[in-house]
């Protein structure tokens, strides 16, 4: 088996085991309803995490995604409710604004040589601030399209629902996988994460790729924002607070290295589902106090990383001996 | 070579300035189609810099690059690649995290509807590498292969990309004879196809073997361009150094040199799956050379001795006392020093200054609380840098800005500064010019005379013979022979290595 | 009879002492009735609340209590609950959603809280000129918006009262103190300030310390009025350092369980909005006694 | 020659930025630089900037060392909360203030050790390793306080938060002592150089005989200690441990301070004093926003604007252009 695939397999196995353990304790967790909820409830996180995966594979980090999601929900709400635009039109504008925002951050990272951590941190402040300037209080969105979308879903046997936003997330993951593993752009992203200098000397258009990566991440965050606004039918400047950290955790749990160069979009999917599983488990349990909830989430995060670490070091890179058989 | 043909690529009056330092000062250089043009010079002469300008990695501060008669300005290496210039840069500049196939085709993968055609790439990659006698899994990560394989992949990539010009900056430094021969075959084929080839190396014999013309740089200035038919090796060396070189390759008498008392003793040191247990005794004033093929386990042996990898069993005695060496810090405390093979990864602290790079091991040995003050640091760094002739504009500049050879010297200086009683040098002369090469050989001899015990790993037999009192031979990760006295001769060593060789490359 | 019933409770988080008290009161009320309370803390995130509610539905609970973090965005998930025939009760904050999606809402009137505070101040200063500084809650949160609005309504028409500075103190003591320090410096060491209005008691407690540090006497040099009625503000009242607080009771669950019980036994529809009392407390109202009463409630 | 160096140092973008922010504050509020003595304690807006900036400055001191090793510590905010909670619960339980302080610092050190072990021996990437404690730590703090704000009246703790020494508020004194102490330790011993070496190339550091594991442990432990100190100050300041809010998001401010101070997130060269300047810039900005009377909705926008400006000024390209400009002017 390809060594690089091991963390992915490990994560998947851990997820399967954890899910099994949860089902043994709460049989109700094995239902299409819960599975459907996994997709719907984590749709925005998943979409944003796809973008984050690209950024992290390239060796960077994007702290602005949560804020961009929040900003997009507000912008959407403002465009639809105050300016009376059609939602589809509003979506297009939101996506463009988000994309431009990402492009500027990418350009700043590349040309000003400021670390992505800081540029996107400033971006986070700016997007959150911008959202609260647009409207500090939450704006409910009432539009036929919103109602239609929230009412349309595929009913699974057993009462589960495959919702539109759940499907959007799945599509984004498929798109992300193709982009990462099957296109030139994808190989450039990995190349940047391996070594920016080498990539440059090998002819990778470093500037363009960097800008595109952050544009992609911000655009997906924008899409996540749209999904979030569909999910809650509202725009709120404080929504999706701290989602960047959830996304980073999902990406890392999914086996992507924060140092860049290695990672899988599919792993991120498992990472997102794992987080959904943890939260659902805690809800089913229902006995944890506020603080124990935090401690348990932190503890499980640690456990997953530790397990993965063990699997990973068992598969540490060994130089191949090609001259021997 | 087509005599008098229009040059395919040309540099005119190139000037490159780094800070206050003129790395290149009005250099002219031409490459004609169908010629192999060697570019020579000491470490830091500006060879790599010139290459980087010709291939768009740097922009010149003066002068111009002319391609096929028209002045060009390459914005970046991709641009140069598009114009048919393929390059192997000095340090292996590929992506260890990606597959071999991807490294070969990155940037110009064939696509269909925007989707990379993986199968096609892999097939072509296999085909391509087969031409170099390399049959490997092209889907595996490049980083999982040895430096030599990586180097061949880099060459194959550059060759693929070079429609007009192929640039090779010290491509043979980590290849063995076999692989060098294979590479030269490829170069000869390309030459016949009419490519212009620029070849940088510190091996003069290789220059005379394949090059047609030679250009020599010194301190960023052009010394001259000559047809190799007109010059001798001595001429070339004289031009490079600006003086005659006393490089006594003789080494007669070394083997018989008196041995002092035992300095270090390794008793059945070994590690499962890495190196079979071996025993070795080193005396004061003794150099033990380590010979063996690539991958025979020489580096692994050194790593065990220095505690980089911990041994499963065995015992280490220093000056009669048993010491425990389970990590490099303990090794340093015991007075060991180790110049690693991969200087970029394990050796230099790129962002730190030359001064800091030299004093760091001494400081680590002294501990956290006995800090060397600035004056002591300057003095120590100055002394050793001068002794090894490290060429740096200023000892406060980041060491990453030094040329490869000077970086290597800085690491050697680092170990000399701790006044070691046992020093391991792993390929100390890789990527080092003739002058520095001689310098290092002289330094090894001097250290021996001063009573140091040295273990030197090198792939150059002539060199090992020149300074070793004894030679151990490694094969298949085991120490298989120990030669001394009259046995210290290339032919004997080769025989010892070749005896029952399990090494069909 | 609710005994033995499984009821889900989606709490916002534990961002303030008041909320911790609400959680512990709800738990103890549930215990009293023998309810099997499934508690889910949302860490201040609406998405987590929605997830929790979906989880409750999947679990098939008998009823769901929600303390909604924002007013918007509940329609879809509440519809789901309704389709699953699970009654939903809102605690301490209202939402923008059709009223048939929930059984009832037990909450205070936040605008009224602000108004009570404002009206008290109007009464306290009489005709004197009074410049007020305001410590707002978290920007954009509904209590911050409503309590600001209510206070402004309360002092409306009294030209002698004016809000000269207003900044956010994020509902925390530390920020309350820091912001108050800034106000004091900006207003000539506090000489120009006659009263401080804080959107919650925690910020007021911080402000009181800032005032003392500046060498002024809170409660007399600068009046302090705030909202919530947490134990520490009563302690401050005992010391004469706070002047008024408007209580927000942490016992939202009591009325909620009562309404639910009635509904489940014979289908009695409760009132749609059960408004809790917004009672004003001043030093005259036995602050020491109030403090002792609240001490053990988990604030 | 000397004078030129001195001038050039003052022309660093950080100092320029600090001066600019202070100047703007002064324009917004003419009394900004007034200082009076009040109850034996200096009193004024500038003092406020120092006093309020102290917790972040202290975090930044520890964070600088961590970042120099190419790491980052996201848990410092949570550790602050834990330390404050432990101290508060101990004193309300009857322990003496001194015992509480020592215990809180010990807990901070323990948290640092935990991070250190994760980073050093389990080789978990620092962001994720410390994310664990960032998430769980606040929970632990709340576990200690059981979710409520634990108010105390212990004089020692209160003195740490609000006392004064020679007229200087204690937080400033503590921050200054820590900053000067850490700078001296790091520069007068070999620690600074060794930390930089580990940050630049950990593998080479190992080969050079540096015990990088131990060094990393020390660095993370120190960051934990700094965070606990900060936590004590914050708790002492409000006479209570607010486990929910103490240090919330301060890790980001601390990282920002370090980066504004010019230490690269890629490890290597670092400067503790400049990180402290970074923290002061951030606080001066916050104070400025407070006294400006802006509507709070604009806080974040103003803040990000200033950060972007400082970063642009500091960017290698721009910095070079400015330096050239300055040199040219001086020549003229
Ligand atoms: N980016 C840079 N900044 C500053 N100085 C540099 C930089 N790159 C190279 N130099 C300096 O320019 C000079 C020429 O270096 P170059 O790498 O071209 O030497 P070289 O001839 O390739 O040597 P070697 O044989 O050791 O590789 C050296 O003195 C080096 O220190
Ligand atoms: N860091 C490493 N981790 C794992 N395997 C390694 C490492 N370094 C070398 N190897 C492998 O161990 C074997 C012995 O290699 P070693 O480097 O000791 O040989 P060598 O004789 O020094 O050859 P070379 O000239 O290539 O350095 C080889 O198969 C090599 O690929
Ligand atoms: Mg070179
Ligand atoms: Mg080797």
């Amino acid at each position: 088996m390809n060594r690089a695939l091991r963390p992915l397999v490990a994560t998947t196995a851990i997820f399967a085991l954890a899910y099994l353990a949860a089902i043994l304790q709460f049989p109700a967790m094995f239902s299409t309803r819960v599975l459907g909820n996994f997709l719907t409830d984590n749709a925005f996180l998943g979409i944003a995490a796809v973008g984050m995966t690209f950024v992290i594979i390239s060796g960077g980090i994007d702290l602005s995604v949560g804020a961009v999601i929040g900003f997009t929900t507000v912008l959407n709400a403002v465009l639809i409710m105050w300016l009376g635009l059609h939602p589809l039109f509003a979506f297009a504008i939101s996506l463009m604004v988000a994309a431009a925002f990402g492009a500027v951050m990418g350009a700043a990272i590349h040309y000003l040589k400021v670390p992505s951590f800081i540029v996107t941190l400033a971006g986070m402040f700016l997007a959150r601030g911008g959202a609260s300037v647009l409207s500090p209080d939450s704006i409910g969105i009432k539009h036929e399209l919103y109602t239609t979308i929230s009412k349309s879903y595929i009913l699974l046997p057993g009462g589960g629902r495959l919702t539109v936003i759940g499907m959007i997330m799945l599509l984004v993951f498929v798109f992300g996988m193709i982009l990462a593993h099957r296109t030139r752009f994808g190989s450039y992203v990995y190349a940047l994460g391996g070594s920016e200098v080498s990539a440059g000397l090998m002819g990778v258009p470093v500037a363009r790729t960097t800008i595109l990566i952050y544009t992609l991440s911000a655009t997906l965050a924008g899409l996540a924002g749209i999904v979030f606004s569909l999910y809650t039918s509202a725009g709120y400047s404080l929504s999706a607070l701290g989602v960047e950290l959830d996304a980073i955790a999902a990406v890392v749990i999914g086996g992507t290295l924060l140092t860049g160069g290695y990672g899988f979009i599919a792993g991120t999917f498992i990472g997102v589902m794992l987080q959904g599983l943890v939260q659902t488990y805690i809800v089913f349990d229902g006995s944890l106090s506020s603080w124990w909830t935090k401690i348990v989430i932190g503890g499980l995060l640690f456990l997953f990383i530790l397990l993965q670490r063990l699997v990973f070091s068992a598969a540490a890179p060994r130089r191949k001996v090609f001259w021997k058989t | 070579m087509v005599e008098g043909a229009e040059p395919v690529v040309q540099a005119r009056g190139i000037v490159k300035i780094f800070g206050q330092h003129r790395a290149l000062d009005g250099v002219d250089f031409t490459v004609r189609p169908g010629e192999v043009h060697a570019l020579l010079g000491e470490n830091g002469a500006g060879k790599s810099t010139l290459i980087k300008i010709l291939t768009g990695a740097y922009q010149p501060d003066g002068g111009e690059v002319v391609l096929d008669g028209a002045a060009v300005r390459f914005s970046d290496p991709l641009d140069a690649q598009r114009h048919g210039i393929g390059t192997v840069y000095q340090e292996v500049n590929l992506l260890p995290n990606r597959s071999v196939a991807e490294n070969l085709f990155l940037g110009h993968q064939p696509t269909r509807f925007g989707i990379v055609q993986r199968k096609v790439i892999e097939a072509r990659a296999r085909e391509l590498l087969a031409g170099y006698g390399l049959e490997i899994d092209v889907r595996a990560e490049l980083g999982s292969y040895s430096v030599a394989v990586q180097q061949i992949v880099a060459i194959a990539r550059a060759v693929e990309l070079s429609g007009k010009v192929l640039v090779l900056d010290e491509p043979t430094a980590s290849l063995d004879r076999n692989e060098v021969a294979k590479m030269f075959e490829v170069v000869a084929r390309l030459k016949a196809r009419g490519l212009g080839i620029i070849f940088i190396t510190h091996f003069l014999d290789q220059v005379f073997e394949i090059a047609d013309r030679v250009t020599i740089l010194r301190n960023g200035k052009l010394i001259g361009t000559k047809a190799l038919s007109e010059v001798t090796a001595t001429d070339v060396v004289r031009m490079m150094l600006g003086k005659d070189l006393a490089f006594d390759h003789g080494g007669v008498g070394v083997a018989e040199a008196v041995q002092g008392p035992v300095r270090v003793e390794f008793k059945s040191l070994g590690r499962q799956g890495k190196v079979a247990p071996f025993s070795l005794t080193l005396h004061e004033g003794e150099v033990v050379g380590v010979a063996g093929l690539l991958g025979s386990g020489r580096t692994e042996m050194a790593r065990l001795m220095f505690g980089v990898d911990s041994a499963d069993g065995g015992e280490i005695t220093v000056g009669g006392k048993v010491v425990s060496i389970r990590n490099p810090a303990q090794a340093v405390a015991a007075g060991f020093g180790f110049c690693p093979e991969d200087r970029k990864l394990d050796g230099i602290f790129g962002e730190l200054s030359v001064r800091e790079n030299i004093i760091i091991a001494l400081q680590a040995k002294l501990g956290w609380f006995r800090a060397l003050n600035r004056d002591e640091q300057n003095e120590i760094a100055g002394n050793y840098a001068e002794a090894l002739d490290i060429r740096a504009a200023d000892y406060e500049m980041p060491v990453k800005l030094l040329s490869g050879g000077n970086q290597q010297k800085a690491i050697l200086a680092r170990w000399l500064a701790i006044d070691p009683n046992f020093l391991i040098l792993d390929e100390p002369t890789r990527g080092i010019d003739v002058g520095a090469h001689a310098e290092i050989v002289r330094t090894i001899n001097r250290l021996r005379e001063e009573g140091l015990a040295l273990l030197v790993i090198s792939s150059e037999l002539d060199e090992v013979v020149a300074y070793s009192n004894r030679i151990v031979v490694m094969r298949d990760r085991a120490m298989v022979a120990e030669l001394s006295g009259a046995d210290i001769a290339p032919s004997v060593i080769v025989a010892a290595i070749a005896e029952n060789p399990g090494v069909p490359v | 009879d609710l005994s033995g019933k499984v009821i889900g409770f989606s709490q916002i988080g534990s961002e303030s002492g008041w909320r911790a008290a609400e959680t512990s009161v709800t738990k103890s009320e549930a215990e009293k009735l023998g309810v099997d309370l499934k508690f889910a803390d949302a860490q201040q995130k609406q998405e987590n609340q929605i997830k929790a509610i979906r989880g409750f539905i999947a679990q098939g609970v008998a009823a769901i209590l929600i303390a909604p973090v924002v007013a918007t965005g509940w329609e879809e998930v509440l519809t789901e609950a309704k389709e699953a025939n699970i009654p939903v009760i809102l605690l301490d904050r209202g939402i923008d959603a059709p009223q048939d999606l929930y059984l009832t809402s037990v909450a205070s009137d936040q605008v009224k809280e602000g108004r009570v505070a404002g009206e008290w101040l109007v009464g306290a200063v009489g005709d004197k000129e009074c410049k007020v500084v305001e410590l707002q809650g978290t920007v954009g949160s509904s209590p911050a918006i409503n309590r600001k609005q209510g206070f402004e309504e309360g002092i409306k028409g009294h030209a002698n009262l004016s809000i000269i500075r207003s900044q956010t103190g994020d509902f925390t003591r530390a920020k309350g103190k820091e912001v108050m320090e800034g106000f004091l410096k900006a207003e000539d060491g506090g000489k120009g300030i006659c009263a401080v209005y804080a959107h919650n008691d925690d910020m007021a407690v911080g402000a009181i310390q800032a005032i003392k540090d500046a060498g002024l006497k809170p409660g007399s040099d600068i009046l302090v009025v705030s909202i919530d009625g947490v134990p520490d503000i009563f302690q401050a009242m005992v010391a004469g350092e706070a002047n008024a607080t408007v209580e927000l009771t942490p016992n939202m669950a009591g009325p909620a369980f009562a309404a639910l019980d009635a509904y489940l036994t014979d289908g009695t529809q409760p009132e749609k909005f059960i408004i809790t009392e917004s009672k004003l407390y001043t030093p005259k109202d036995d602050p020491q006694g109030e403090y002792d009463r609240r001490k053990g409630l988990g604030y | 020659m000397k004078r030129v160096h001195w001038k050039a140092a003052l022309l660093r973008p950080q100092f320029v930025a600090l001066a600019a922010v202070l100047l703007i504050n002064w324009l917004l509020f003419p009394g900004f630089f007034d200082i009076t003595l009040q109850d034996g304690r200096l009193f004024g807006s500038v003092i406020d900037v120092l006093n309020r900036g102290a917790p972040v400055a202290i975090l930044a001191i520890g964070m600088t060392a961590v970042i120099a090793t190419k790491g980052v510590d996201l848990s410092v905010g949570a550790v602050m909360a834990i330390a404050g909670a432990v101290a508060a619960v101990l004193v309300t339980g009857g322990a003496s203030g001194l015992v509480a302080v020592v215990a809180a610092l010990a807990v901070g050190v323990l948290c640092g050790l935990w991070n250190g072990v994760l980073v050093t021996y389990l080789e978990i990437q620092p962001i994720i390793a410390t994310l664990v404690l960032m998430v769980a730590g606040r929970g632990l703090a709340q576990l200690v306080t059981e979710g409520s704000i634990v108010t105390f009246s212990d004089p020692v703790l209160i003195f740490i938060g609000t006392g004064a020494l020679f007229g200087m508020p204690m937080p400033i004194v503590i921050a200054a002592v820590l900053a000067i102490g850490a700078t001296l330790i790091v520069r007068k011993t070999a620690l600074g150089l060794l930390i930089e070496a580990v940050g630049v190339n950990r593998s080479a550091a190992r080969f050079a005989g540096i015990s990088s594991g131990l060094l990393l442990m020390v660095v993370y432990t120190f960051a934990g200690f700094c965070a606990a100190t900060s936590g004590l100050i914050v708790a002492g300041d409000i006479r209570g441990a607010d486990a929910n809010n103490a240090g919330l998001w301060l890790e980001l401010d601390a990282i920002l301070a370090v980066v504004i101070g010019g230490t690269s997130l890629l490890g290597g060269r670092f400067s503790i004093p400049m990180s402290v300047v970074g923290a002061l810039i951030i606080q001066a900005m916050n104070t400025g926003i407070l006294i400006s009377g802006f509507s709070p909705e604009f806080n974040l926008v103003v803040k990000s604007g200033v950060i972007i400006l400082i970063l642009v000024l500091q960017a290698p390209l721009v910095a070079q252009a400015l330096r050239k400009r300055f040199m040219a002017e001086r020549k003229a």
Side-chain angles (χ1 to χ4, degrees), chain B residues 318-389:
Chain B
V318 180
K321 270 198 299 252
V322 176
V323 292
S324 151
I325 294 185
R326 312 210 64 81
N327 56 48
Q330 287 176 335
V332 173
F336 290 15
F338 182 17
C339 292
E341 175 177 26
D342 190 332
R343 71 170 164 260
K344 198 170 168 187
L345 234 53
D346 304 325
I348 65 162
F349 298 95
E351 271 82 56
L352 299 190
S353 68
V354 179
R355 165 180 57 84
E356 287 163 321
N357 266 278
I358 293 177
I359 60 107
I360 190 86
L362 177 58
Q363 185 59 70
K365 190 179 175 187
L366 287 176
W368 296 357
F369 300 107
R370 279 170 52 207
L372 297 165
N373 65 34
R374 194 55 179 261
D375 293 339
E376 289 166 337
Q377 293 188 11
N378 284 337
E379 194 187 323
I380 295 168
N383 286 347
Y384 287 98
E386 240 160 67
L388 293 174
D389 192 21

Side-chain angles (χ1 to χ4, degrees), chain D residues 318-332:
Chain D
V318 183
Q320 216 170 359
L322 286 180
R323 207 170 309 131
K324 267 195 191 141
R325 189 81 183 261
F326 171 69
M327 289 297 191
E329 266 169 29
R330 254 183 12 143
K331 271 192 194 135

